[in-house]
Amino acid sequence: MIEGEGMATERIKQPKRKNPILRTRLPTLPPAARSRVALGLTAAAARGRFELQVCRDCGALQYPPREVCRTCLSHRLLWRVQDGRGELITETVLRAAQELFFRERLPWRVGIVRLDAGVNVVAFVHESVAVAPCRVRIEAALDRAGKAVLIAVPENGRSPLSDDRQLREMTCDPRGRKVLVTDGKSALGQAVVRALAAASADLIWIGEAEPWKKIAGFAALHNVPQAKALPLDVTDGRSVRELAGEIGGKVDIIINTADYHRTFGISNRRGIETAQLEMDVNYFGLLRLAQEFAPALKARAADGPANAIAWVNVLSIYALENFPPHGTYSASKAAALSLSQALRAELRPAGVRVINLFPGPIDDEWDQLVLPPKLSPAAVAAAAIEALQGSVEDVYPGDVAQDWLARYLESPKTLERELAGDAP
Ligand SMILES: [Zn+2]
C-alpha cells in the first residue's frame, strides 16, 4: 500500500509567514558529490532531457554512467536522448535514510524501472503512478543540490512534479510565492507579470524605471490584483540597493527581465554609447542586482516553505554565439551568461536555483529585421513559468533557439561561421 494512495494531491498552499524571532536554519541539501562522468546525466537534466551513454563502437546502452563501455571497454561513449519508456517492475517506500536531506523528508517512494531500451534504472516514483507493475516514463530532473535524479511518471500525459508532495521540493513553483520582476515596462516584462498572476503568485513586485514615461500596457497591469509597482532602475546602484533594502528579506523568486537591445554590428555605428548602455543594463544591471539581492536570498534559503528558491535571467540565444547583425547586443548577453554562471555557483550551496532562458528572436521592435519564426513575449513568459514549475536550469524556448542549440552542441565553430554568413 502506497502512502496517500487514492487521495487527491493537495495543491501548493501559500507558505506561512516566517517568524522573525526564530533563528534562520542552514539549508540541508541532498548529497552533491558525483563523479565527472555522472555529470553527463546532470548536464542533460539541466536542459530538461533524459540522456544515457551509448557506445559508439558496439552500440550498447548503459546505466549507471561509466568511463568505459561495459560490453567492449571502448572509451567512445556518447550521450543520447532517451524516450524513457519502460515498466516499473518493483517499488518500495523508504522510511529511513542515511542522508539528512532525505531523512528530513521521509517517506520516499522509489522503484526499479526496466527501460524498453534494455537497462534498469532506480528512480523516484511520482505519486500519480499506479502500483507496480505498470508502464511508466522516466524523466530526469535536478534536485535542490542541482544534480540529476530520475523520476518515474505515468507513461502518458503530463505529471508536473509540483503535483507530488515530495517531488515538488525539486521545483520552484511560483504558486503562493513573492516574486520580483525587474522590468515590468517591456512587453516581455508585462507578459511575465500576467503569467505569474495566472500561476497564482502571491505578490508580484514590478520594477518600474523612468516612472514619468507612461506606457499603456504597463498601466493596464493595475488590474492584476497581486501586482505592485516599485521604482527600480538596474543602471543605478542606489536604486537597486534601496529596493533590496525594502524587499530583499521577503522576495522568493527574482525574474530579471531588464534588457537593452539595439540592432547593428560594429562598423555601421559610431562611438560606443549604445554598446555601453547594453552592457549597463544587460551585464552591470545583473551584477548590481546580484550584489544587492543574492546575500539576502542565500540567508533565507532554509526558511522552511517560505524560503528563497529561484533566480531567473532572461538572456538570449545570441549569448551562445555572436549574431553579427546584433553584434554588441550579443556580446552583452554573453557577458551576462558568464556572470549568471558565477551567480549560480554561489547560490547553489544555498539551494537557490538559477535558471537561464535563451529565447530566439522575440517579436518586438528590435528584432524587426530578423526573419520569422519569432517568439511572442507571452511564449517566453510561459517558458519561464514552466521552467519554475519543473526542474531545469537552462531553457531554450522556440524553434530558432532549439535549432541553434542543436547546432551549437554539434560544433560551436561551425555555428559561428554559419552566423557570420559563411553558409549558403
Ligand atoms: Zn561498446
Side-chain angles (χ1 to χ4, degrees):
M1 175 73 184
I2 305 301
E3 206 144 290
E5 188 193 346
M7 293 191 312
T9 305
E10 55 185 318
R11 304 303 300 270
I12 295 179
K13 295 199 191 82
Q14 186 176 326
K16 286 204 193 78
R17 273 178 195 285
K18 184 193 176 189
N19 179 343
I21 297 164
L22 290 180
R23 197 170 72 90
T24 294
R25 292 190 311 152
L26 286 172
T28 36
L29 294 177
R34 281 282 167 101
S35 65
R36 185 170 194 284
V37 66
L39 281 177
L41 202 60
T42 295
R47 296 194 298 270
R49 297 180 185 180
F50 171 43
E51 295 184 1
L52 291 179
Q53 287 176 309
V54 178
C55 176
R56 242 170 95 165
D57 290 318
C58 75
L61 178 77
Q62 71 178 359
Y63 178 86
R66 293 179 179 87
E67 300 285 348
V68 296
C69 172
R70 69 196 157 119
T71 311
C72 74
L73 298 181
S74 167
H75 289 266
R76 301 187 343 138
L77 298 167
L78 301 171
W79 288 94
R80 285 289 174 257
V81 177
Q82 306 294 314
D83 73 0
R85 289 173 196 279
E87 181 160 323
L88 177 66
I89 51 178
T90 178
E91 65 172 291
T92 185
V93 176
L94 292 183
R95 297 184 190 282
Q98 290 284 334
E99 297 289 347
L100 181 60
F101 174 86
F102 293 107
R103 199 160 63 225
E104 280 186 335
R105 293 162 175 82
L106 291 166
W108 293 90
R109 186 183 179 195
V110 295
I112 296 174
V113 174
R114 181 177 295 145
L115 294 175
D116 298 345
V119 294
N120 288 354
V121 301
V122 178
F124 291 109
V125 183
H126 195 287
E127 63 180 68
S128 61
V129 170
V131 179
C134 64
R135 296 286 303 169
V136 290
R137 188 165 46 81
I138 291 290
E139 288 180 354
L142 295 178
D143 67 17
R144 293 234 68 88
K147 71 174 170 40
V149 292
L150 301 181
I151 292 164
V153 298
E155 186 178 24
N156 298 308
R158 228 181 129 250
S159 300
L161 295 186
S162 50
D163 281 0
D164 180 291
R165 273 163 301 173
Q166 298 287 66
L167 300 176
R168 72 172 49 146
E169 179 103 24
M170 295 175 191
T171 77
C172 306
D173 198 311
R175 175 178 288 271
R177 296 293 193 161
K178 296 178 172 55
V179 189
L180 167 65
V181 179
T182 59
D183 176 9
K185 283 198 151 168
S186 65
L188 176 62
Q190 293 163 26
V192 168
V193 170
R194 295 199 181 281
L196 283 168
S200 305
D202 171 44
L203 186 56
I204 308 165
W205 288 293
I206 316 172
E208 181 185 17
E210 301 173 327
W212 57 91
K213 269 193 201 165
K214 296 297 168 209
I215 292 172
F218 185 75
L221 291 179
H222 287 309
N223 58 27
V224 177
Q226 64 268 63
K228 181 169 189 257
L230 290 168
L232 173 61
D233 177 355
V234 301
T235 67
D236 175 357
R238 206 174 74 175
S239 163
V240 177
R241 198 171 312 126
E242 283 175 0
L243 187 66
E246 193 179 338
I247 66 167
K250 292 180 261 183
V251 65
D252 302 322
I253 299 172
I254 292 178
I255 303 184
N256 183 19
T257 52
D259 178 66
Y260 191 88
H261 188 177
R262 296 293 180 269
T263 47
F264 297 131
I266 294 169
S267 52
N268 41 14
R269 194 202 288 142
R270 303 212 62 80
I272 61 166
E273 289 76 11
T274 306
Q276 273 175 328
L277 272 170
E278 286 168 342
M279 288 298 277
D280 208 17
V281 175
N282 302 343
Y283 172 73
F284 288 111
L286 172 58
L287 182 58
R288 290 182 191 99
L289 288 165
Q291 284 178 334
E292 299 299 338
F293 279 92
L297 294 192
K298 273 196 270 192
R300 290 187 42 247
D303 279 0
N307 55 350
I309 47 173
W311 185 303
V312 181
N313 290 311
V314 183
L315 301 174
S316 161
I317 195 64
Y318 305 157
L320 283 190
E321 288 267 15
N322 195 290
F323 184 45
H326 299 236
T328 57
Y329 176 73
S330 300
S332 72
K333 287 294 188 179
L337 168 59
S338 184
L339 188 68
S340 78
Q341 290 167 342
L343 179 64
R344 181 179 281 161
E346 288 192 13
L347 290 181
R348 184 180 291 130
V352 177
R353 179 172 295 155
V354 173
I355 297 171
N356 286 331
L357 251 65
F358 301 82
I362 298 174
D363 202 0
D364 65 15
E365 55 192 313
W366 305 112
D367 274 322
Q368 277 177 18
L369 299 177
V370 180
L371 293 175
K374 285 188 272 195
L375 284 166
S376 69
V380 180
I385 303 303
E386 196 184 322
L388 287 167
Q389 290 169 336
S391 175
V392 294
E393 284 185 345
D394 294 319
V395 186
Y396 300 80
D399 293 342
V400 174
Q402 285 293 327
D403 178 52
W404 278 43
L405 173 66
R407 290 194 278 161
Y408 178 79
L409 293 175
E410 193 74 32
S411 167
K413 193 68 194 170
T414 308
L415 178 59
E416 181 196 327
R417 295 295 287 265
E418 286 172 324
L419 296 175
D422 284 12

